[in-house]
Amino acid sequence: GCLGPTLTFYINEPNDIIISSISTNVSCYSYNDGLIDLIVQGGTGTVTTNWLGPNGYSMISEDIYNLAPGIYSYISTDIFGCSPSSFSVPIVISEPPAVVINSTVIDESCYGDANGEIDITISGAGTFSYSWVGPNGFTSTNPDLMTLSAGTYNLTVTDLNNCVQTISENINIGSFIQVDTFVNNISCNGFLDGSIVLLTPNSTNPTFSWSGPNGFSSNSSIISNLDIGNYFVVVNDNSYCPIPLYFSISQPYPLSFS
């Protein structure tokens, strides 16, 4: 038979899809501000990227933002359903370690002593700055505090990435002895019938140490048959928070006749 002309055919293939990425990790522990920026070259037409990530995350986008830490995988295809010849390696978004603040608190020992303490221990990477605020305009940039009055103290800890952690601690009011006092002055000029009664309803094993005019002394909560003058007592109990009290016993003016 007869042979026709020789024909030559060229079979072209589309350009491979080449993908590179730039990722930014989460800035602070538990934040959701990571991002992945894909740089897509080649393929035919528009290249579509499907993402899967932690906690059921899914997205159709070339670039993804506001990411939590975790592993993000993706598949990119062009209009013909072609994918990159190279395997798409999953991208890891990491986060810095948590800043954990542990504190030891020592309350005020006795009411008004202002001897409370807060000791801070930080676990985490890097260097930290400290900012305390407390009652009566209190401020400090030291991690540990001493000579504290009762009240609430708030601490803000900031690391080199400007990540912030806060805690609040209370210094409780120190022990105090409630003393109810009842004073009876002398009824008539020259009598010796003044008295002072002390009640300590919240005390355990209260003690009383009295001194007064003319060498007066007593260890009782009730003193009677008192002369005029100034009386001083120290009230103490198992709290070892003594309270000094001062009293004055007076008498009326003598009767005068004209």
Side-chain angles (χ1 to χ4, degrees):
C2 298
L3 296 175
T6 300
L7 301 177
T8 301
F9 296 92
Y10 294 94
I11 303 297
N12 296 319
E13 66 175 350
N15 294 327
D16 191 12
I17 301 174
I18 300 173
I19 297 178
S20 60
S21 65
I22 300 173
S23 61
T24 300
N25 292 320
V26 171
S27 62
C28 298
Y29 180 79
S30 78
Y31 278 28
N32 296 324
D33 59 355
L35 65 90
I36 301 173
D37 178 17
L38 290 187
I39 301 169
V40 181
Q41 297 173 313
T44 302
T46 301
V47 176
T48 301
T49 301
N50 290 269
W51 290 92
L52 294 176
N55 305 314
Y57 178 90
S58 64
M59 178 65 67
I60 300 175
S61 176
E62 181 175 310
D63 305 323
I64 51 177
Y65 307 90
N66 301 320
L67 304 180
I71 299 174
Y72 293 82
S73 59
Y74 63 94
I75 298 175
S76 297
T77 56
D78 64 11
I79 59 174
F80 294 129
C82 299
S83 298
S85 60
S86 298
F87 176 72
S88 299
V89 178
I91 300 172
V92 177
I93 297 295
S94 63
E95 65 181 343
V99 176
V100 179
I101 306 174
N102 295 306
S103 61
T104 301
V105 178
I106 299 176
D107 291 326
E108 188 180 55
S109 57
C110 295
Y111 179 77
D113 278 0
N115 60 352
E117 299 181 14
I118 303 176
D119 181 70
I120 294 298
T121 303
I122 304 290
S123 61
T127 303
F128 306 96
S129 63
Y130 307 87
S131 177
W132 285 98
V133 295
N136 304 313
F138 175 90
T139 62
S140 177
T141 56
N142 296 320
D144 302 323
L145 305 179
M146 302 177 66
T147 63
L148 299 180
S149 300
T152 299
Y153 294 81
N154 299 305
L155 171 64
T156 299
V157 178
T158 306
D159 67 13
L160 292 178
N161 296 319
N162 285 324
C163 300
V164 172
Q165 185 68 275
T166 62
I167 65 165
S168 181
E169 296 292 353
N170 288 316
I171 298 293
N172 291 317
I173 295 174
S175 300
F176 69 95
I177 303 173
Q178 177 184 337
V179 181
D180 299 327
T181 64
F182 302 89
V183 177
N184 294 304
N185 289 313
I186 293 171
S187 59
C188 298
N189 186 271
F191 281 27
L192 299 175
D193 61 356
S195 65
I196 303 173
V197 177
L198 305 182
L199 301 179
T200 53
N202 71 339
S203 293
T204 302
N205 299 321
T207 63
F208 308 87
S209 179
W210 287 95
S211 62
N214 305 314
F216 175 87
S217 65
S218 175
N219 294 316
S220 174
S221 62
I222 301 174
I223 55 175
S224 56
N225 302 320
L226 302 181
D227 197 355
I228 61 170
N230 296 318
Y231 292 80
F232 171 73
V233 64
V234 176
V235 182
N236 207 347
D237 64 7
N238 286 355
S239 69
Y240 300 103
C241 294
I243 294 181
L245 297 172
Y246 299 85
F247 302 92
S248 180
I249 294 295
S250 62
Q251 67 179 352
Y253 290 109
L255 294 176
S256 60
F257 300 93
S258 58

